[in-house]
Amino acid sequence: MTPHEAGLVVAAWRRHYSVLLDAGGTLECVLKGRRTVVACGDRVQVARIAGGGAIEKVEPRTSLLYRSDAFREKVLAANVTQVVGVVAPDIAVDENLLNRWIVAAELERCRFVLVANKADLPGFPALVARLAQYRSLGYPVVECEATRSAGPLAGIVAGERSVLIGQSGMGKSTILNALCPHARARIGDVSDALGSGRHTTTETALFMLPGDAELRMVEVLEGQDTAALVAAKKWDCAPEDVTFSNGTVGDGGARTLPMAVNSPPT
């Protein structure tokens, strides 16, 4: 019988995965069996095979988030404790999508934080004003200019297992590189290991941060900007109609998400 090794999935692209082994080193793996579903952040058991490894078992999860659009569902991140949604003034904010991120986070008992990026742009004050409705509901809104400093964000991710989510152009990669200086090289290394040269990034990658923290980068690929982050538990109503009887995780109050509105004309 082939001995198993324990590890953490730190990158995922289609059915190829990079696993950080508890014993040290990284092993590029495929799935054993088509019914197995693996997400970045999963704890797994792998067996050595020719050319790499095979994931044979996924340990129980504490949370699971996936992407859903009109055509398919795709698992993204497991064992997350915090969802960090990134918005910016130069990209139209889809509040219906933002509400879905919040619902997904709440259903998985994760903390939700909004990051308003690109504070240097002229439309930033108007964006912050629009986000005031979420701050009033108890969700932190962190203002930053990630190209200059990640200081406001460092305390938010400290000690958490976070997933960074946002539409293309919001500055997720800039935030990631500011928080994790080795991230740019890391993305290239993982892509080279898992891809065939056609893809420049993985769909999801996990990065270790100082202070026993983890950050998962959800990369929005071309044609998927409208995809929504969804919890493993589904709902049968619109996100804006949801009231949480126990409120934001841990605060004990009731919350009703605001109705989604169109972005104001620019």
Side-chain angles (χ1 to χ4, degrees):
M1 182 177 179
T2 304
H4 287 172
E5 298 179 69
L8 173 70
V9 177
V10 295
W13 173 256
R14 296 184 178 176
R15 292 178 64 83
H16 295 265
Y17 304 89
S18 184
V19 177
L20 180 64
L21 299 174
D22 291 355
T26 301
L27 187 64
E28 311 312 323
C29 297
V30 295
L31 288 180
K32 183 176 181 179
R34 299 194 63 84
R35 292 186 179 182
T36 303
V37 177
V38 176
C40 189
D42 268 328
R43 294 285 311 172
V44 296
Q45 296 287 331
V46 303
R48 300 268 181 174
I49 60 174
I55 297 174
E56 298 196 340
K57 181 182 178 182
V58 178
E59 302 294 347
R61 299 167 172 132
T62 59
S63 62
L64 178 64
L65 299 168
Y66 65 92
R67 172 187 284 138
S68 176
D69 59 24
F71 305 102
R72 65 170 186 158
E73 296 174 352
K74 173 72 176 180
V75 295
L76 290 178
N79 302 316
V80 171
T81 62
Q82 177 173 261
V83 176
V84 180
V86 183
V87 295
D90 57 337
I91 305 293
V93 177
D94 185 340
E95 290 185 21
N96 181 61
L97 183 59
L98 196 160
N99 287 349
R100 291 177 69 89
W101 297 346
I102 293 175
V103 172
E106 293 280 7
L107 288 176
E108 291 298 298
R109 309 299 297 171
C110 295
R111 183 184 189 223
F112 182 80
V113 177
L114 260 175
V115 171
N117 192 25
K118 305 185 183 181
D120 57 317
L121 295 185
F124 191 77
L127 172 66
V128 172
R130 290 182 64 196
L131 299 180
Q133 58 189 337
Y134 295 100
R135 181 181 274 126
S136 70
L137 294 176
Y139 298 109
V141 177
V142 181
E143 302 174 22
C144 76
E145 186 183 344
T147 55
R148 292 188 178 181
S149 173
L153 303 174
I156 295 297
V157 299
E160 299 282 351
R161 298 192 299 272
S162 303
V163 59
L164 195 63
I165 185 75
Q167 296 163 274
S168 290
M170 296 294 188
K172 298 185 303 299
S173 295
T174 303
I175 290 172
L176 173 64
N177 286 319
L179 289 170
C180 188
H182 64 277
R184 188 179 303 277
R186 171 76 164 75
I187 290 174
D189 291 345
V190 171
S191 298
D192 290 343
L194 298 181
S196 60
R198 294 180 299 143
H199 309 292
T200 58
T201 61
T202 56
E203 282 195 359
T204 313
L206 183 151
F207 302 89
M208 300 296 184
L209 304 181
D212 194 29
E214 299 173 4
L215 183 64
R216 292 150 178 79
M217 170 70 173
V218 176
E219 188 69 29
V220 180
L221 303 179
E222 183 179 358
Q224 295 182 333
D225 286 356
T226 58
L229 183 72
V230 184
K233 308 178 188 68
K234 295 185 180 181
W235 57 88
D236 297 319
C237 56
E240 59 266 25
D241 296 331
V242 173
T243 298
F244 300 107
S245 60
N246 64 341
T248 303
V249 174
D251 76 356
R255 298 289 185 269
T256 301
L257 293 181
M259 292 291 291
V261 296
N262 293 329
S263 300
T266 56

